[in-house]
Amino acid sequence: MSLSWGQTGTGRPLEAPPGRRVTVQGMSQLDKLRQAMGPAGVDAVWISDPANVRALSGFTSPKDAKVLVTAHAVTLYTDARYTVQAQEDSPLPAFIARPPETYQHAAPSLSGLRVGFEAEHMTVAVLEDLREHWPDAHLIPLRELGRGLRMVKTQQEIEAVRAAQALADRVYAEVRPSIRAGARERDIALDIEMRLRQAGAETAFDIIVASGPRGAMPHGVASDRVILDGELVTIDMGARLGGYHSDMTRTVAVGEPSDEMLRVYRAVLEAEEAAVAAVKPGVRAADLDTLARDILTRHGLGEAFAHSLGHGIGLEVHEGPSLRGVSTDVLEPGMLVTIEPGAYLPGVGGVRIEDLLLVTENGHEVLSRAEKDRL
């Protein structure tokens, strides 16, 4: 039986294990956060976004935890279900309790301080509780705090995503022969999920298997539709391994596609490979989007490209940087990004091809190695 937050025990401090205070990847994120606090106009930050909780603490059940960061201290807050796990996962000193004890424990250190909170991850009810228990603190909403915190990955994070992508590549290669006429979309998706789980991973998101006219839906998750000869099938899949995500899309041909869909496929592949080739430090993310979009426009498919070129990936499937036309992000070494142009023709079909890349000091490394169809 799963225990709820409200069923946990009384509050008590839990010291971090000796020798582990500065040894996990979260410490560099902590330094980044503290550097950002002054410009953000805050003296402390209450972290509630699970991805940011994990990035800062290493704690692997971040949905049931918070982190309080001040100029000179940092504390992980979770409940008694995770007493042992907090010690094993995190280098941070922890306080084991449930609200309102967590708020009461933090209150003395926050008196007179400007305390930032993550506006996108704070309910009105919890905000009212904080105001009640921290009457001497000045609560300040912060937006998109985690974007700068997690955009540039540590080597440990890069290797985690690399492993997730290598697993996804392997599973795709195993399943690829079953993508044929007469197969059901849902059966292909279930096969992918089963193989990922057997390997110790989870699906990073709902697996997309969109065949024939359903390929015109960018998020066409698998249905009961049976694949027909002569159709294109879009497979969008990823693995979640050790908390980190991969993401890759391939569009494959079953039999001989129509001349129109062959034309669309080749245009999307040209746009994808051109954008991949242009990835390097110092490149504006918006310029990559424009590059791919201009190629598709020259092929008469500009209006059919219905989404941004890509996104960052890590503890979340979609995180910074943003690769869209209005993005102000600039690529830096250590960023992990996807390149995924697509073209979607309602009632006819669609194509999307996506690779996962690491931005390196001198250019990029393509982490997704799964074979692409050459039509």
Side-chain angles (χ1 to χ4, degrees):
M1 180 180 69
S2 175
L3 297 175
S4 71
W5 180 276
Q7 291 173 286
T8 58
T10 58
R12 62 186 185 276
L14 186 67
E15 288 299 318
R20 293 194 59 220
R21 293 181 184 274
V22 293
T23 58
V24 301
Q25 52 89 14
M27 291 303 96
S28 62
Q29 280 87 341
L30 179 59
D31 292 340
K32 291 177 188 177
L33 178 59
R34 282 190 167 131
Q35 289 172 4
M37 283 164 48
V42 298
D43 309 302
V45 182
W46 179 252
I47 300 294
S48 56
D49 177 352
N52 289 340
V53 169
R54 178 154 186 171
L56 288 164
S57 69
F59 185 56
T60 57
S61 294
K63 291 182 180 179
D64 293 319
K66 306 291 185 290
V67 173
L68 177 63
V69 179
T70 65
H72 304 292
V74 56
T75 304
L76 171 68
Y77 288 92
T78 188
D79 63 78
R81 294 170 295 174
Y82 303 106
T83 301
V84 174
Q85 187 176 331
Q87 284 185 306
E88 291 182 348
D89 285 351
S90 180
L92 303 183
F95 187 77
I96 305 300
R98 61 178 178 85
E101 291 164 287
T102 53
Y103 308 145
Q104 293 165 352
H105 177 266
S109 65
L110 300 178
S111 180
L113 299 187
R114 299 165 297 175
V115 182
F117 64 89
E118 296 174 288
E120 300 98 330
H121 295 273
M122 178 71 70
T123 66
V124 173
V126 172
L127 180 57
E128 289 178 348
D129 288 343
L130 294 184
R131 285 171 173 160
E132 176 185 350
H133 290 95
W134 299 345
D136 298 322
H138 307 285
L139 293 173
I140 299 173
L142 301 174
R143 294 181 179 272
E144 296 190 329
L145 180 66
R147 294 191 80 251
L149 186 67
R150 304 199 316 271
M151 278 204 290
V152 175
K153 303 307 192 272
T154 67
Q155 190 60 41
Q156 183 178 350
E157 291 179 302
I158 291 167
E159 294 309 315
V161 173
R162 189 192 300 276
Q165 183 57 55
L167 174 58
D169 284 343
R170 191 188 84 198
V171 168
Y172 174 80
E174 293 169 351
V175 172
R176 175 66 180 87
S178 67
I179 305 172
R180 60 182 184 270
R184 243 187 7 155
E185 292 177 355
R186 195 179 308 281
D187 292 334
I188 294 168
L190 286 171
D191 193 14
I192 292 171
E193 180 172 359
M194 179 188 70
R195 291 170 186 269
L196 289 173
R197 289 187 178 277
Q198 286 176 333
E202 302 170 87
T203 58
F205 45 84
D206 289 339
I207 297 167
I208 293 172
V209 181
S211 62
R214 293 191 72 251
M217 296 187 291
H219 284 178
V221 295
S223 73
D224 289 327
R225 187 180 189 276
V226 175
I227 298 168
L228 303 179
D229 188 62
E231 293 184 333
L232 294 180
V233 184
T234 297
I235 309 292
D236 191 347
M237 58 174 286
R240 182 175 182 268
L241 186 63
Y244 286 84
H245 300 80
S246 69
D247 191 3
M248 175 191 72
T249 307
R250 295 291 184 262
T251 298
V252 303
V254 175
E256 294 292 331
S258 67
D259 289 344
E260 173 64 2
M261 292 311 298
L262 281 174
R263 184 184 74 83
V264 174
Y265 183 91
R266 291 164 181 164
V268 172
L269 182 60
E270 178 186 344
E272 199 265 350
E273 292 186 334
V276 166
V279 170
K280 62 181 180 180
V283 171
R284 295 178 65 249
D287 291 342
L288 291 173
D289 183 278
T290 299
L291 172 63
R293 203 169 298 277
D294 285 349
I295 291 172
L296 289 174
T297 298
R298 289 200 299 271
H299 287 281
L301 296 169
E303 294 298 321
F305 184 12
H307 52 75
S308 62
L309 179 64
H311 53 84
I313 193 165
L315 285 168
E316 295 179 293
V317 178
H318 293 91
E319 57 184 49
S322 170
L323 278 66
R324 54 178 180 161
V326 297
S327 176
T328 60
D329 294 330
V330 177
L331 298 188
E332 299 178 38
M335 288 182 170
L336 291 163
V337 299
T338 67
I339 299 291
E340 51 178 311
Y344 311 94
L345 307 178
V348 179
V351 175
R352 182 166 67 257
I353 303 171
E354 176 186 22
D355 278 313
L356 174 58
L357 283 73
L358 166 66
V359 183
T360 64
E361 293 290 339
N362 300 313
H364 66 269
E365 178 188 352
V366 179
L367 301 186
S368 46
R369 304 294 181 86
E371 185 178 356
K372 299 174 187 174
D373 280 19
R374 298 289 169 177
L375 306 180

